[in-house]
Amino acid sequence: MSLESEFTNHFGAPPERVVRAPGRVNLIGEHTDYNGGFVLPMAIDREARIAARRRPDRRVRMVALDFGGAVSEFSLDAIEHVAEQTWSNYVRGVALFLQERGANLSGLDLVIQSNVPIGSGLSSSAALEVCAATTFQAFGGFSISQVETAQLCQKVENEFLGVQTGIMDQFISALAKAGHALLIDCRDLSYQHVPMPQGATVVVCDTTKRRGLVTSKYNTRRAECEEAARLMGVALLRDVSPTDLGRFETDMPPTVAKRARHVVAENARVLEAVAAMKQNNLPTFGTLMNQSHESLRNDYEVSCPELDTMVEIARQQPGCLGARLTGAGFGGCTVNLVADEHVAAFVANVAREYEARTGIRPPVYVCRPSAGASVAW
Ligand code: ADP
Ligand code: MG
């Protein structure tokens, strides 16, 4: 049944609006965000959608179709974090922080549905947050820029949900342009839409390995980066060039030096990748992706056997220009750049070979560069 008819079924009248916001994949620039560096995500053609209708009162009633039609309800005058129906906290947090910055929200009936796979690393959470913020905005009572929307949604994730993430996911979901990736400077949030090269397709392969308890490892990496920056006398590793690093490297503890080497080189690779994209230089773009994976595996040490296996299988396929882990690592997905004419065979072969080696049939997503959040109608 369509989202619209589900809405009518639940609430007895059709929705007034349908709003959408996409998930994302990061093409290159991993673990650079908290070092004030560059990232290059692309919005994918999988999105959260919310059908909505204004209510005459101050209540928000929600139905989550992907959670078996679970319902949750709150008052805009007393927004609380809840322990059951935790999915509802994403909408609650958005409403709370919008009101905190002065928005005059309207009560709404909402039905939520998404085809961004949940918990796979394609950021179903950011898609939901940005979709919720855009939905409230569609019913008026305030104006907010897309950059502010992204910042507010990041705050929801960090402070209302208690999940530490950078700004990338919300930023790309709010600001993406169809056919483009987005270069984001995480230090000052300046950005540039970069046309996706012609002739190749982005394919995401899910190892199905879930990250589990990696918060401590993530925090260790962050601390090591701070240590490297301190030893080099800069605020952020982003301020170090590969040449600068060469001068300092030998004086640093070996592990700290390795972490810094990844961040500094990865940051430079993002800009090289952007230059390659602008020239439609697919081989160079692919090579940079491959180098990114090697650096994440050897210097940053955030890969795992499943990710390495998926990358190895991908690179054996005809037409594979580049393959790397995407996201924080320790599990999750790989991102691959595949020549258009080889995509169908790539998808079939990688899935078959990964299953043969691991016994697990991996979900594989062929992704089109999509537009950021919008009111569909
Ligand atoms: P991801 O990597 O997909 O962002 P997260 O753990 O950060 O994984 O976010 C997943 C959570 O976001 C879900 O457990 C749920 O609470 C919420 N969420 C995502 N998609 C939906 C959806 N379609 N309906 C309701 N809640 C959703
Ligand atoms: Mg998330």
Side-chain angles (χ1 to χ4, degrees):
M1 212 191 313
S2 73
L3 177 63
E4 290 82 349
S5 19
E6 291 279 7
F7 187 98
T8 309
N9 268 1
H10 279 281
F11 294 115
E16 291 176 89
R17 296 205 178 284
V18 173
V19 177
R20 50 163 293 281
R24 64 93 188 96
V25 61
N26 191 23
L27 302 177
I28 195 161
E30 222 63 77
H31 289 280
T32 46
D33 55 351
Y34 51 84
N35 290 294
F38 301 108
V39 292
L40 188 66
M42 176 188 108
I44 61 174
D45 50 340
R46 289 183 162 257
E47 58 193 29
R49 294 205 304 148
I50 297 180
R53 185 177 185 87
R54 189 188 298 277
R55 290 176 57 85
D57 58 15
R58 303 259 306 148
R59 298 201 70 76
V60 175
R61 292 195 295 176
M62 299 169 277
V63 179
L65 294 182
D66 305 307
F67 285 72
V71 295
S72 186
E73 183 172 341
F74 67 93
S75 161
L76 288 168
D77 298 316
I79 301 179
E80 284 177 344
H81 185 278
V82 291
E84 61 293 336
Q85 312 299 358
T86 51
W87 56 269
S88 74
N89 289 320
Y90 292 86
V91 180
R92 291 165 189 266
V94 165
L96 180 69
F97 290 151
L98 279 173
Q99 292 193 136
E100 271 184 16
R101 74 181 283 292
N104 177 21
L105 300 186
S106 157
L108 295 175
D109 285 334
L110 308 172
V111 176
I112 302 166
Q113 185 171 42
S114 175
N115 60 0
V116 184
I118 292 174
S120 300
L122 298 177
S123 215
S124 67
S125 59
L128 177 56
E129 290 148 11
V130 173
C131 196
T134 309
T135 303
F136 281 114
Q137 197 184 359
F139 286 85
F142 66 102
S143 90
I144 181 172
S145 73
Q146 287 156 316
V147 171
E148 279 180 284
T149 297
Q151 288 172 311
L152 185 133
C153 290
Q154 182 198 10
K155 190 172 149 187
V156 170
E157 188 111 11
N158 294 169
E159 295 176 20
F160 201 75
L161 276 303
V163 181
Q164 280 318 307
T165 58
I167 184 78
M168 171 171 72
D169 303 355
Q170 294 80 8
F171 208 89
I172 180 73
S173 186
L175 282 106
K177 189 165 149 187
H180 292 68
L182 189 64
L183 171 66
I184 308 169
D185 182 332
C186 295
R187 180 164 59 185
D188 62 9
L189 296 189
S190 58
Y191 60 92
Q192 190 190 335
H193 295 282
V194 186
M196 285 298 291
Q198 300 299 304
T201 300
V202 171
V203 181
V204 172
C205 303
D206 186 353
T207 63
T208 73
K209 166 96 187 295
R210 291 298 171 249
R211 291 198 272 132
L213 297 168
V214 297
T215 316
S216 66
K217 290 181 186 167
Y218 179 81
N219 291 341
T220 309
R221 295 297 182 284
R222 287 189 76 138
E224 287 161 345
C225 289
E226 281 163 22
E227 171 74 353
R230 194 183 60 77
L231 290 171
M232 288 187 279
V234 294
L236 293 162
L237 278 186
R238 135 74 180 269
D239 294 312
V240 177
S241 73
T243 331
D244 293 338
L245 183 65
R247 289 194 286 119
F248 282 99
E249 223 170 349
T250 46
D251 298 333
M252 290 195 274
T255 303
V256 174
K258 275 165 84 174
R259 307 300 188 238
R261 202 184 315 147
H262 165 72
V263 173
V264 171
E266 182 78 355
N267 213 34
R269 273 190 291 271
V270 177
L271 297 183
E272 288 173 50
V274 168
M277 281 169 83
K278 288 180 176 168
Q279 294 159 359
N280 213 68
N281 187 337
L282 296 172
T284 297
F285 189 12
T287 301
L288 290 162
M289 291 173 72
N290 288 339
Q291 289 171 353
S292 170
H293 185 80
E294 263 48 85
S295 174
L296 286 161
R297 185 181 62 196
N298 302 328
D299 285 339
Y300 220 62
E301 297 181 277
V302 294
S303 192
C304 63
E306 293 84 353
L307 285 166
D308 290 339
T309 299
M310 193 70 93
V311 162
E312 187 191 319
I313 294 168
R315 288 184 188 162
Q316 288 164 356
Q317 306 306 316
C320 178
L321 295 150
R324 57 179 287 273
L325 73 85
T326 184
F330 306 110
C333 295
T334 65
V335 58
N336 309 267
L337 190 68
V338 184
D340 288 342
E341 62 274 27
H342 292 283
V343 169
F346 179 92
V347 170
N349 293 342
V350 169
R352 198 189 49 236
E353 182 66 21
Y354 189 79
E355 185 176 16
R357 292 212 210 168
T358 64
I360 297 159
R361 186 97 189 154
V364 177
Y365 307 101
V366 176
C367 299
R368 311 282 166 210
S370 301
S374 61
V375 179
W377 55 266

